[in-house]
């Protein structure tokens, strides 16, 4: 039986096991005498706020739950029930590696391990998730921006003797996912009022619709300057520019915490952070993590992380994997996955390409999209040619493509789908 990998970040807990990925944000709803976790609870957050709890991972403890939520005595009971549901949905792994945030206190770690002892699986490893993620990157100092529900966290890590080590973890209060969503929704609601005189926040059902539509709208704005958002039959035009002020407090807090960046520093950010308009332009040398990077890192380190028949120690240092990272497909003899770069890959030229050369044939680039083998498309964005992948990150110039990166002549593209042929972007002069 394979070992499951559990990433405990309350903005989106993830459990991988035998090809199954279970995702579940840290929301719990008590309804009809039972608990419902994850997305179903999040979908009722504005409709039944008194029946929702989002703090049970952040405030993990055995103190009496205030306010009460069903029969649970404390937040530890809610975390226990959430873990059991995740375990069931992920084909019931008998052993699990745990990745947790550095913001979790020693007493909370001890409580977590006690809770796991009452679960139908064994914890065989406990690792700081920032250390695991940083092991995929190069750079003398790596700063991990982690977005939780009620706070953001900056973890500072340094490289020493080919090993990445945790130095410190700094919480950023008021910069969690819930606070960021609130600011975004406030800006979008104001746009609705200006354009349609309809205020989606006046009623709980329309406000819930707005929150539900927010992730897709932000995803669209990654590749477009504007998007339409519809709520309760009303439609408003939303621009990425007008939403950038929502991240100001987060951006300012990050700058104050990390100080002046040195040439060999690297910032890595959780995927949720990348949805925030203005993040990638606010910081130099920022790389956006992939949703399954924790899995890749822990499976690559699995041999040394597994601790059976002994008290688990909290791992805060690991060998660097940036030279070559093997994906979970290695067991199936799939191709190696190239890790994200310490810096955005250097482009060979600033000249815009006109064609893509593949298998000795030059194919014109179409503004509506040119599909490469493996499923990713080259398309014309606002600032130039960009990639839209089909789920598996494409590799550009030997490094993972990051959203918004502009392509130029001389760039090489491999979709990461096992394709041995490399596509080359060129300019055809007539």
């Amino acid at each position: 039986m394979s070992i499951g990998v559990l990433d405990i970040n309350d903005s989106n807990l993830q459990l991988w096991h035998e090809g199954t990925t279970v995702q579940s944000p840290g929301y719990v709803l008590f309804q009809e005498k039972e608990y419902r976790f994850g997305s179903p609870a999040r979908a009722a957050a504005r409709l039944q706020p008194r029946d929702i709890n989002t703090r049970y991972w952040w405030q993990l403890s055995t103190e009496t739950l205030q306010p009460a939520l069903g029969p649970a005595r404390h937040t530890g009971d809610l975390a226990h029930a959430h873990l059991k549901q995740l375990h069931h949905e992920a084909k019931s792994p008998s052993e699990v590696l745990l990745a947790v945030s550095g913001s979790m206190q020693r007493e909370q770690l001890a409580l977590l391990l006690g809770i796991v002892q009452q679960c139908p699986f064994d914890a065989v490893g406990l690792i700081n998730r920032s250390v695991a993620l940083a092991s995929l990157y190069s750079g003398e100092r790596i700063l991990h921006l982690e977005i939780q529900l009620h706070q953001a966290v900056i973890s500072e890590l340094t490289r020493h003797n080919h090993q990445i080590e945790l130095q410190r973890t700094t919480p950023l209060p008021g910069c969690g996912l819930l606070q960021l969503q609130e600011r975004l929704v406030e800006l979008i609601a104001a746009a609705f009022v200006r354009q349609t005189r309809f205020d989606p926040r006046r009623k709980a059902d329309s406000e819930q619709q707005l929150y539900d539509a927010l992730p897709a709208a932000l995803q669209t704005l990654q590749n477009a300057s504007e998007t339409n958002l519809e709520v309760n039959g009303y439609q408003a035009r939303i621009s990425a520019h007008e939403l950038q002020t929502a991240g100001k407090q987060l951006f300012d807090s990050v700058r104050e915490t990390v100080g002046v960046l040195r040439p060999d520093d690297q910032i890595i950010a959780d995927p949720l952070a990348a949805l925030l308009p203005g993040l990638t332009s606010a910081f130099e040398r920022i790389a956006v993590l992939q949703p399954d990077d924790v899995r890749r890192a822990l499976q690559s380190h699995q041999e040394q992380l597994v601790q059976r028949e002994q008290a688990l120690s909290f791992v805060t240092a690991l060998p660097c994997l940036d030279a070559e990272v093997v994906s979970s497909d290695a067991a199936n003899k799939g191709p190696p996955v190239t890790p994200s770069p310490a810096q955005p890959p250097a482009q060979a030229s600033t000249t815009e390409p006109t064609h893509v050369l593949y298998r000795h044939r030059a194919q014109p680039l179409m503004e509506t999209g040119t599909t490469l083998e493996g499923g990713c498309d080259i398309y014309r964005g606002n600032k130039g040619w960009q990639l839209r992948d089909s789920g598996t990150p494409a590799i550009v110039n030997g490094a993972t493509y990051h959203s918004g990166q502009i392509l130029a002549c001389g760039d090489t593209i491999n979709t990461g789908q096992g394709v041995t042929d490399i596509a080359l972007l060129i300019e055809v002069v007539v």
Side-chain angles (χ1 to χ4, degrees), residues 18-171:
E18 293 186 344
T20 296
T21 302
V22 177
Q23 298 184 335
S24 184
Y27 288 70
V28 57
L29 167 68
F30 186 67
Q31 186 179 56
E32 298 177 352
K33 298 182 179 181
E34 68 177 11
Y35 292 112
R36 299 181 182 181
F37 294 91
S39 298
R42 182 175 58 190
R46 319 309 297 186
L47 302 174
Q48 300 171 251
R50 294 183 179 181
D51 301 320
I52 295 284
N53 187 301
T54 61
R55 297 172 176 265
Y56 59 100
W57 283 110
W58 179 43
Q59 297 177 342
L60 185 63
S61 74
T62 56
E63 295 182 6
T64 302
L65 194 60
Q66 294 291 342
L69 188 69
R73 299 161 298 169
H74 42 65
T75 57
D77 286 342
L78 297 176
H80 176 252
H82 198 176
L83 289 176
K84 288 179 64 178
Q85 177 178 302
L86 285 167
H87 175 258
H88 174 72
E89 293 179 357
K91 301 181 181 178
S92 303
S94 58
E95 296 181 326
V96 173
L97 284 170
L98 305 176
V100 302
S101 172
S103 64
M104 188 170 282
Q105 303 299 312
R106 183 183 298 272
E107 295 79 8
Q108 292 179 316
L109 287 173
L111 176 58
L112 174 62
L113 294 179
I115 291 171
V116 169
Q117 288 180 349
Q118 305 303 315
C119 290
F121 60 86
D122 294 326
V124 294
L126 182 65
I127 173 69
N128 180 289
R129 67 188 304 270
S130 297
V131 172
L133 291 166
S135 72
L136 301 173
Y137 285 76
S138 60
E140 294 303 308
R141 185 173 73 138
I142 297 176
L143 301 145
H144 175 215
L145 172 58
E146 176 180 324
I147 303 296
Q148 301 174 4
L149 283 180
H150 292 276
Q151 64 181 4
V153 175
I154 287 286
S155 294
E156 181 179 345
L157 310 106
T158 58
R159 178 192 291 258
H160 181 68
N161 293 334
H162 304 290
Q163 183 165 270
I164 198 75
E165 301 175 355
L166 178 67
Q167 298 300 316
R168 61 184 60 85
T169 299
T170 306

Side-chain angles (χ1 to χ4, degrees), residues 323-342:
E324 180 176 349
V325 180
V326 180
S327 74
S328 63
D329 294 331
N332 299 321
K333 297 183 180 181
V337 178
T338 306
S340 302

Side-chain angles (χ1 to χ4, degrees), residues 71-363:
R73 299 161 298 169
H74 42 65
T75 57
D77 286 342
L78 297 176
H80 176 252
H82 198 176
L83 289 176
K84 288 179 64 178
Q85 177 178 302
L86 285 167
H87 175 258
H88 174 72
E89 293 179 357
K91 301 181 181 178
S92 303
S94 58
E95 296 181 326
V96 173
L97 284 170
L98 305 176
V100 302
S101 172
S103 64
M104 188 170 282
Q105 303 299 312
R106 183 183 298 272
E107 295 79 8
Q108 292 179 316
L109 287 173
L111 176 58
L112 174 62
L113 294 179
I115 291 171
V116 169
Q117 288 180 349
Q118 305 303 315
C119 290
F121 60 86
D122 294 326
V124 294
L126 182 65
I127 173 69
N128 180 289
R129 67 188 304 270
S130 297
V131 172
L133 291 166
S135 72
L136 301 173
Y137 285 76
S138 60
E140 294 303 308
R141 185 173 73 138
I142 297 176
L143 301 145
H144 175 215
L145 172 58
E146 176 180 324
I147 303 296
Q148 301 174 4
L149 283 180
H150 292 276
Q151 64 181 4
V153 175
I154 287 286
S155 294
E156 181 179 345
L157 310 106
T158 58
R159 178 192 291 258
H160 181 68
N161 293 334
H162 304 290
Q163 183 165 270
I164 198 75
E165 301 175 355
L166 178 67
Q167 298 300 316
R168 61 184 60 85
T169 299
T170 306
L172 307 179
C175 299
L177 181 61
L178 295 182
Q179 293 95 339
L180 293 171
Q181 285 180 335
E182 182 70 18
R183 292 167 194 145
L184 289 165
V185 164
E186 182 179 351
L187 292 168
I188 294 173
F192 267 95
V193 173
R194 287 195 309 271
Q195 297 176 34
T196 69
R197 295 188 178 182
F198 166 68
D199 185 355
R201 308 196 73 180
R202 292 194 64 180
K203 293 185 178 181
D205 57 347
S206 58
E207 185 179 41
Q208 185 67 59
Q209 289 181 44
L210 178 52
Y211 273 87
D212 293 343
L214 183 59
L218 294 177
Q219 188 67 56
T220 299
L221 291 175
Q222 296 295 296
N223 299 311
S225 60
E226 294 183 335
T227 187
N228 288 320
L229 204 155
E230 183 172 334
V231 174
N232 204 31
Y234 294 86
Q235 191 174 92
R237 192 72 174 167
I238 309 298
S239 73
H241 177 73
E242 68 183 311
L243 297 184
Q244 289 189 9
T245 57
K248 184 179 185 304
Q249 182 176 344
L250 173 64
F251 301 161
D252 290 345
S253 296
V254 171
R255 292 189 188 98
E256 182 179 350
T257 301
V258 305
V260 178
L261 293 178
R262 301 187 293 260
D264 56 358
D265 287 346
Q266 171 70 55
I267 300 177
I268 58 177
D270 282 354
L272 282 173
L275 292 178
L276 191 63
L279 176 80
T280 54
S281 60
F283 301 99
E284 296 180 359
R285 298 186 299 280
I286 188 168
V288 177
L289 296 160
Q290 297 300 320
D292 69 339
D293 275 350
V294 168
R295 174 193 60 81
R296 289 201 298 131
L298 265 64
Q299 288 183 341
S300 297
H301 290 291
Q302 180 173 306
E303 185 175 346
Q304 73 177 92
L305 289 178
V306 171
Q307 305 172 53
R308 295 188 178 95
E309 299 178 359
Q310 58 180 299
L312 295 184
S313 59
F314 188 33
V315 177
T316 58
L318 282 173
C320 298
L321 291 171
D322 57 282
E324 180 176 349
V325 180
V326 180
S327 74
S328 63
D329 294 331
N332 299 321
K333 297 183 180 181
V337 178
T338 306
S340 302
Q343 299 183 20
Q347 295 176 330
S349 167
T350 58
T351 304
E352 275 205 340
T354 61
H355 291 64
V356 57
L357 181 63
Y358 183 66
R359 293 181 177 173
H360 309 293
R361 180 174 177 267
Q363 180 180 355

